[in-house]
Amino acid sequence: MTEILPADADSIRQAVEILRRGGLVAFPTETVYGLGADAQNDAAVRAMFAAKGRPADHPVIVHLAAGAAMEKYAVEISPAARQLAAAFWPGPLTLVVRHGPQISNLVTGGLDTVGLRVPSHPVAQALLREFGGLIAAPSANRFGRVSCTTAEHVSQELGERVDLILDGGECAVGLESTIIDVSGPQPAILRPGAVTAEQVSAVLGCEVAQSSCGRPRVSGGLPSHYAPRALVEIVRPDQLAPRAQQLASDGKKVAVLCSELFSFEHPSITVLPVPANISEMAHELYALLRHVDDLGCDVALVTVPPEDGLGAAIADRLRRAAGPRQADG
Ligand code: TXA
Ligand code: MG
């Protein structure tokens, strides 16, 4: 299996060498683990798409060590882009901007825009600074599957498809970055995340639209994304118990994810406690969904938290996990 190394000065140096020779490195960020490749090496970017099993026309996020580099790679930068970069970088925010000639068509899927992000995680920061260039990094999971929040999960997902996994422990946020399109006249949130709509509106001084996530270019916008193997079903809290009983009596193995105390006598129903605190819920969500698969459950029953702040991001990922599955899901 690919080596998992604790992230320290030595392993980060090794990771930089791998990136320089066109290899792939999984690394922690504050949101989820990324599968990194040299964004300016087309062969490396192709290898990254292959490792993920992701269609080549899907754009990936390009990571920078510092926000100042946006000036070098983006063109026609809007005041909103500058304001949001100043307010939230480094941090869990991706800005979709118009790009200049140094950004390869391979990372943008041929679009005239690119998603840029400056992560705050110290390991991601150290890697980017030492590498000195741009790191293209989608989430370090197979296409359509749940993102990884630990090095162990990356290893389970990608096996030997990655050259090195830097272990930086559990990701603090646990959900992918907020994506905001600031390339047009009206900023739009393409994917909710830990930088919340409320925070974005406060910085820009206006309400920011949550774009309908059907845009095919945003792979997270496909309904089949962020899904475990088990079917995910969203129910109202009062439906958890009766629905679990019904599925169990139909012969299904059921996981009930809930923050209230519940107990079931039925041997094929497992209750997985979800933290009531919304940040902890985000932090735990993907590990819980993986656990559902580890238990071999057929169905996971979930409820959606109130959709303000970080709750909007959790609700978004649960809806996608519960969405119709596609062949590549
Ligand atoms: O938190 C994160 O954003 C993680 C960490 C590793 O940084 N990365 C991540 O990457 O979630 P990925 O590739 O799994 O999701 C990036 C999303 C995709 O849905 C992609 O379609 C969208 O960003 N995206 C990238 N560039 C875009 C662009 N120019 N226009 C619209 N969407 C874009
Ligand atoms: Mg992803």
Side-chain angles (χ1 to χ4, degrees):
M1 282 303 269
T2 296
E3 246 187 320
I4 302 183
L5 294 180
D8 58 21
D10 271 354
S11 58
I12 289 172
R13 213 168 298 129
Q14 225 173 297
V16 166
E17 280 165 24
I18 292 171
L19 290 174
R20 291 211 171 115
R21 58 164 201 261
L24 305 179
V25 173
F27 63 98
T29 82
E30 68 278 20
T31 56
V32 296
Y33 274 75
L35 173 62
D38 178 351
Q40 288 166 308
N41 177 337
D42 282 355
V45 173
R46 276 197 195 93
M48 179 266 287
F49 276 104
K52 258 190 89 79
R54 186 177 188 167
D57 64 342
H58 279 260
V60 294
I61 295 174
V62 171
H63 296 69
L64 315 168
M70 175 162 71
E71 306 292 335
K72 190 168 159 195
Y73 299 105
V75 295
E76 301 165 35
I77 303 171
S78 63
R82 290 213 167 81
Q83 283 171 292
L84 294 172
F88 300 112
W89 277 351
L93 173 71
T94 296
L95 293 174
V96 172
V97 294
R98 293 186 172 278
H99 66 80
Q102 283 122 315
I103 300 288
S104 150
N105 271 338
L106 271 187
V107 298
T108 65
L111 296 175
D112 56 4
T113 57
V114 63
L116 297 179
R117 171 155 122 81
V118 180
S120 64
H121 194 292
V123 174
Q125 272 288 325
L127 184 68
L128 281 158
R129 276 200 307 270
E130 201 153 323
F131 178 60
L134 307 174
I135 299 182
S139 51
N141 52 280
R142 297 280 291 165
F143 183 62
R145 299 251 309 134
V146 176
S147 298
C148 295
T149 54
T150 70
E152 191 54 43
H153 294 164
V154 176
S155 171
Q156 287 163 15
E157 279 283 310
L158 296 174
E160 290 177 352
R161 295 183 172 96
V162 52
D163 298 304
L164 173 64
I165 301 171
L166 290 175
D167 189 349
E170 292 179 13
C171 301
V173 173
L175 299 177
E176 305 78 2
S177 61
T178 306
I179 302 180
I180 305 181
D181 185 348
V182 281
S183 67
Q186 292 291 338
I189 298 179
L190 303 184
R191 180 173 75 183
V195 169
T196 64
E198 294 84 344
Q199 289 174 307
V200 169
S201 300
V203 165
L204 297 182
C206 61
E207 282 294 302
V208 178
Q210 170 102 33
S211 143
S212 76
C213 295
R215 293 191 184 200
R217 288 293 188 175
V218 183
S219 72
L222 297 173
S224 67
H225 262 69
Y226 311 109
R229 282 188 193 85
L231 289 176
V232 175
E233 203 177 298
I234 296 173
V235 294
R236 291 197 319 264
D238 62 313
Q239 289 300 309
L240 277 174
R243 182 68 182 140
Q245 301 283 4
Q246 184 188 8
L247 286 163
S249 51
D250 289 348
K252 304 279 188 217
K253 195 156 188 243
V254 187
V256 178
L257 277 62
C258 63
S259 32
E260 282 93 67
L261 276 181
F262 249 104
S263 70
F264 283 100
E265 294 305 315
H266 204 291
S268 52
I269 302 176
T270 308
V271 177
L272 298 179
V274 177
N277 173 284
I278 206 79
S279 305
E280 288 171 27
M281 194 186 289
H283 175 79
E284 298 282 316
L285 182 68
Y286 288 156
L288 281 165
L289 292 178
R290 277 174 194 283
H291 193 46
V292 168
D293 282 344
D294 294 341
L295 292 170
C297 290
D298 303 300
V299 186
L301 294 182
V302 301
T303 58
V304 167
E307 291 188 50
D308 51 343
L310 191 53
I314 296 175
D316 171 75
R317 303 313 189 273
L318 287 174
R319 289 214 179 85
R320 292 181 202 285
R325 300 289 166 89
Q326 293 173 352
D328 60 28

